[in-house]
Structure formats: C-alpha cells, structure tokens
Amino acid sequence: MTWTDNTEKPNNPAVANPESIKDMFNMKPEWENLNHSNVRRMHHAQKLNEVIVKKSQEAKLVLLNMPGPPKNCTNQTRPMENSLYQNYPFFADIQVMIFLGFGCLLAFFRRYGFGGMVFNFLIATFTIQWAILVQGFFQFYYDGKIHLGVLNLIHAEFACAVVLISFGAVLGKTSPVQLLIMALLEIPVFGVTEWAVVKYLKINDAGGSILIHIFACYFGLGVTFVLYRPSLNEGHPKESTSYQSDLLSVMGTLFLWVFWPSFNSALTFKGDDQHRAVLHTFIGLSASTITAFALSSMLSKNGKISMADVQNVTLAGGVTVGASVDMMISPAAAYVLGILGCIVCMLGYKYLSPFLARRLRLQDQCGIHNLHGLTGLISSLAGICAILLATEETYGPSLYQTFSHRAPPEGDPLLAELQELIPDLEAGLGRTAREQALFQVAAVFGTIAVAAVGGLLTGVVLKLPYLASPSNDKCFDDELFFNVPPDYNCVNGPQDVAYGPMFSETQTKLMLTEE
C-alpha cells in the first residue's frame, strides 16, 4: 500500500530518477561464489524490489504487508539444563544392574552358566524394547505419538527387572522361546497394572517394592506352578554349583549391591527425597550384609558360610527399605529394616522354599519368593507405617511434595499458602494419611492378585508342546542350546564326568566313588 501527494514534487533526486533506484537494487552478485539456494533467494528479493520501485515512484511512505517473523525465532535451549544430565547417571547404573548384575547372579549353576548369563542378555534387550512401546502407550502417549527420552528408558529397565526376577523362578527349566514368550506376555500385564496403580490408586512406592518386587515374584511363582516337574523335587544331578560358578554369581551380587541405591532413588523427587533414598538404601544393604554373614555361619551345621546366602540374602535390605526409602524414617529404622529383611529371607531359603516345593508345587529355583516376595511385603508394611506417622510437624511443607496426593486440591486456600513457600508445588487430592495408607494396602493385594493370575495364564501358554521345553534330564544344561567348548564336560571337576561321552561307565563309577 502506498500514499502519495500529487501536489508536491519530490526534491530527492533518487525519487525523481527511478532508474537510479532500479540500478541500485539491481546490483549483480558474483555468481560463481553463490550456491543455487542463495541465488534463488536473491532473485526473489530483486523482483520484490522492482515491484516496490515501480508501484511507488512518487510515494513518500511505503507500507508493506510482510509476514511476521517465525514464532520460535527466540527458541533458545540451555544444553546443561537438559534432563539427560539428571537422568543418564541413573540409567547407566541400572544398565549395569540389568546386564551385569542379574547376568552374573543367574550363572550359579555349574553347567548352566551360558544359559543364565546369555538368556538374561537376550531377555533384557527384548524386554526393554517391548516395554518402551507398552509403557509409552499407557504413560507417555500424547499428541498421537509416544514421546521418548532417557526417563522412558529408566521406566523400561524397571519393567525389564520385573521379567528378570520372574525368570529366576524358572531358571534352567525353560527354553529361550518360552522365555521370550513369557516376557512378551508379562510386560503388557505389568504395564496395565502399573498404569492402573499410578493413575487411580496413586501410591507411594519409590523403590518399587510393590510394583516391581511383589509383582515379579508372584508372576514368576504363577508360571512355575503351572510348569511344575515332580521329578525335580528330589533334586537334579546338574542342579549344583562349582567354585567358578559361585565366584561369578558373587560378582553379580556385588554389581547389584553397589548400584542398588541408584535403583531405589532414580524416580524419587529430586533433592532431599533422593538424598534420603540413597542413604537409606545403603544403610539397609549394609545391615542385611552383616546379618547375612552372621546367620549363615550360625545356621550352618559346621559353622561355615554358605555362598548361596552371600549371593542372595545380602541384598534383602535393598528391597525392605524400598517403599519408605524417600520418607523421613530414621537411619536406625532403615538399619532395622535391613536386619529384619535379612532374617526373613534367610529363614525362607532354609525352611520355606523346600516346603513350598513339596506341598504347593512351587519350585522356585532362585528363591525369588524369599528375596523379593517376603521382603517386598515387609517393605510395603513399613511404607504404610511411615505414611501413617508422617506429619507436617516432621516434614514441614515438603510433606506435600513427598506425599504429593496429600496436597490440597485445586481451589483450596491452603494450596495458595503452600505455593508461596514452595512455588512449584502442584495441587493434590487432599488425602489424609489414613486414606493414603488404605490405597497402599489396596495396591499390595491388587498387585498380588493380578500378578498371580497373569503368571498362571502365562504358564498355561508356556506349557504348549511345541515351545521346545527341555526334558527333565536336559534341565540345567547348556549343551541343549549352545555349542559348548571341548572342556565343557571336565572343567567343573569329577562330578561332571557322568555326563561326558569321553569316560566309560567303569571310569565314571570309579571317579565318583573316589570323590
């Protein structure tokens, strides 16, 4: 749009002589130094200038209706504030737990080291990918897309831990096809349960005592109940350990022990809550470790330490502090929880597991009911007690951050007062301590029910005849699924010669008699 004054001639020689203006806007560039995209842009600018000059030869004022600048022209990022730098250290620690910790820990059978470690690797990689999709659909799906970040990977690795714990119940008795199908079915059941508990029950479970340990335990027990093998109740000749396999398994225990504080604190509220989670986890693990060595020696007939106790019972404290790990419990309470979890876990291995195998058809190869089930129940009970005892006098305004669902609802005048003290505080549901505790109880029983039913149904599927389930005599044996090295039949000592073709029957009997 132009505005002109026809009664007054312009005194500006440039305006009086349009050709000079045209020449000024028609400066030719050095074409050899321009790329084609720049040439096109300059050509469009030249044409626009020609139009302006032609249409406004006698104009004093030229108004152009040009498009505005892009709305995101000031979109600046601050790389160091990216969530990667907050979440990646936890992700890396949990990676070590998943692939090295669980992998080495499950390699304790003398003839099933490949199976324990390699099948763990296989299941973990498959499960993480599958969990990203399932959890993404239920929790991270909006605008028609699943949004992916390091936080999603942490959630997926927690789901992977669930499957690996359940794997421990059927270790050595299943084929890789069966294990993959178990992971394929367990992740959707876990995803739905997690979504329902988080969205509707809205519980406090920072360390995953309910949603990870209890769910994984009772899902695995449901599977092993259906896959029951009566002949294994009296023991299996290959269901034993060796010096090397026990040493490898203890390495897995050490990996889990060292990085367990990251596991329990990864999803807690940043700041004091996360700080408490690390401290309580370390204290609980330390207490259970000292207690495990003492009890192992006391309960042994010859007063010696059992490697099975070191491999498993020392980790009990990490589970028992899980539900209350970010709450204001005292260090003494965390220590007591570690001791209590260790005692229950130890007695479970000694007395409860054999009873369950004989009476209830629950052949739990790795004792997940002791390390994850019983300790998870203790942790849940401790968390409920901590919720009932939590008051604003103890926590101050941060009570409504640690227990976000107890915060006043939207529109409550108290919320505005609290937001003056804590600007980023979000509206909650206004629950009382008693109401929150009841939701915790509901989550425990609901999780056990869903996990057990899901495990039973999964076991029925795994029992189908065409899934390459190993026969009884091939259980706990790598040779069925792997190309084993030449020294496979003699590397673990004389007890293995009964299974090697290089020894005659007379030689086998003689060596076993000498042993």
Side-chain angles (χ1 to χ4, degrees):
M1 182 182 81
T2 62
W3 176 82
T4 59
D5 184 1
N6 295 328
T7 62
E8 183 179 350
K9 297 296 181 180
N11 295 324
N12 190 335
V15 177
N17 186 5
E19 294 299 325
S20 64
I21 299 177
K22 185 175 181 179
D23 291 340
M24 181 179 65
F25 284 103
N26 281 339
M27 291 184 296
K28 294 183 179 180
E30 298 178 1
W31 300 103
E32 64 274 9
N33 296 328
L34 299 174
N35 60 35
H36 292 292
S37 61
N38 288 338
V39 170
R40 286 193 295 271
R41 286 196 292 268
M42 294 184 67
H43 177 71
H44 295 322
Q46 177 186 359
K47 291 296 185 182
L48 177 61
N49 289 333
E50 290 178 358
V51 173
I52 293 173
V53 171
K54 183 177 179 180
K55 297 292 185 180
S56 58
Q57 291 182 5
E58 299 179 356
K60 284 187 175 181
L61 178 64
V62 180
L63 299 178
L64 299 178
N65 186 15
M66 301 290 288
K71 293 182 178 180
N72 63 344
C73 64
T74 60
N75 182 20
Q76 299 180 357
T77 60
R78 298 179 180 178
M80 297 311 297
E81 293 182 4
N82 194 295
S83 62
L84 171 72
Y85 299 101
Q86 291 184 352
N87 296 325
Y88 184 78
F90 294 100
F91 167 73
D93 290 351
I94 298 171
Q95 283 271 93
V96 174
M97 295 180 70
I98 293 294
F99 291 98
L100 292 178
F102 278 102
C104 294
L105 181 64
L106 295 176
F108 61 92
F109 286 132
R110 74 174 193 269
R111 297 175 63 90
Y112 200 66
F114 286 2
M117 182 169 285
V118 175
F119 289 161
N120 178 87
F121 189 19
L122 171 66
I123 296 170
T125 51
F126 171 77
T127 301
I128 291 174
Q129 298 174 72
W130 180 223
I132 289 173
L133 295 177
V134 174
Q135 291 179 315
F137 179 77
F138 284 105
Q139 299 185 49
F140 304 101
Y141 182 85
Y142 46 93
D143 296 332
K145 298 177 182 178
I146 294 175
H147 292 252
L148 183 63
V150 177
L151 189 63
N152 304 63
L153 299 183
I154 293 177
H155 279 274
E157 289 192 326
F158 283 157
C160 177
V162 170
V163 176
L164 296 181
I165 292 170
S166 300
F167 170 37
V170 295
L171 181 68
K173 303 182 297 183
T174 46
S175 68
V177 176
Q178 288 177 304
L179 294 175
L180 288 173
I181 292 177
M182 185 178 81
L184 184 70
L185 298 177
E186 184 171 5
I187 287 299
V189 179
F190 171 75
V192 172
T193 305
E194 182 185 36
W195 169 76
V197 169
V198 171
K199 183 175 179 62
Y200 296 105
L201 297 182
K202 301 182 186 296
I203 64 169
N204 288 83
D205 187 27
S209 295
I210 299 173
L211 284 174
I212 295 178
H213 299 287
I214 289 180
F215 181 94
C217 169
Y218 290 99
F219 189 97
L221 292 181
V223 174
T224 194
F225 177 83
V226 178
L227 300 182
Y228 176 70
R229 295 173 183 253
S231 61
L232 298 184
N233 272 345
E234 303 302 324
H236 192 282
K238 301 175 187 178
E239 192 181 6
S240 59
T241 65
S242 69
Y243 187 83
Q244 291 84 1
S245 66
D246 272 337
L247 192 62
L248 183 62
S249 185
V250 169
M251 288 181 61
T253 299
L254 292 176
F255 279 121
L256 292 172
W257 201 101
V258 169
F259 292 106
W260 206 296
S262 294
F263 186 90
N264 276 357
S265 63
L267 298 180
T268 56
F269 194 83
K270 299 296 187 289
D272 290 343
D273 290 26
Q274 197 166 68
H275 196 170
R276 288 194 294 266
V278 172
L279 296 176
H280 292 156
T281 304
F282 180 80
I283 292 171
L285 286 169
S286 300
S288 63
T289 300
I290 297 296
T291 309
F293 279 94
L295 287 179
S296 180
S297 179
M298 290 171 57
L299 296 177
S300 174
K301 294 181 179 179
N302 56 10
K304 296 182 179 180
I305 297 171
S306 167
M307 288 303 295
D309 297 335
V310 176
Q311 293 160 6
N312 296 283
V313 182
T314 53
L315 299 172
V319 182
T320 48
V321 299
S324 57
V325 73
D326 60 335
M327 303 177 192
M328 285 191 181
I329 61 174
S330 66
Y335 204 89
V336 170
L337 284 174
I339 294 174
L340 183 60
C342 175
I343 294 173
V344 171
C345 185
M346 178 76 75
L347 296 179
Y349 274 106
K350 296 291 183 182
Y351 306 109
L352 184 59
S353 290
F355 173 81
L356 294 178
R358 291 193 306 267
R359 302 294 183 183
L360 299 181
R361 298 164 51 97
L362 295 175
Q363 295 171 332
D364 183 4
Q365 297 305 131
C366 293
I368 65 172
H369 185 243
N370 309 308
L371 181 55
H372 301 279
L374 297 178
T375 53
L377 292 174
I378 294 173
S379 179
S380 301
L381 180 61
I384 292 171
C385 294
I387 289 172
L388 292 173
L389 296 175
T391 63
E392 195 168 346
E393 294 178 358
T394 304
Y395 286 77
S398 66
L399 172 72
Y400 304 105
Q401 286 183 315
T402 304
F403 306 98
S404 57
H405 309 303
R406 293 183 60 181
E410 193 70 45
D412 192 320
L414 179 59
L415 178 63
E417 297 178 9
L418 291 171
Q419 286 176 337
E420 293 179 0
L421 300 173
I422 308 177
D424 59 345
L425 180 65
E426 297 181 358
L429 301 176
R431 288 178 179 174
T432 65
R434 180 183 177 87
E435 290 172 342
Q436 185 63 45
L438 290 176
F439 278 101
Q440 299 284 132
V441 173
V444 171
F445 286 102
T447 299
I448 292 175
V450 173
V453 172
L456 291 172
L457 296 177
T458 300
V460 172
V461 175
L462 299 186
K463 207 169 184 179
L464 295 175
Y466 45 81
L467 296 182
S469 177
S471 59
N472 289 339
D473 62 315
K474 293 295 183 180
C475 288
F476 317 109
D477 196 335
D478 283 333
E479 199 168 14
L480 180 62
F481 300 110
F482 294 93
N483 291 319
V484 296
D487 60 349
Y488 170 73
N489 288 306
C490 57
V491 70
N492 291 315
Q495 68 270 24
D496 282 345
V497 297
Y499 309 106
M502 64 186 71
F503 294 94
S504 66
E505 183 178 356
T506 304
Q507 289 174 312
T508 300
K509 291 181 178 178
L510 177 61
M511 294 184 71
L512 292 177
T513 302
E514 291 176 352
E515 183 187 2

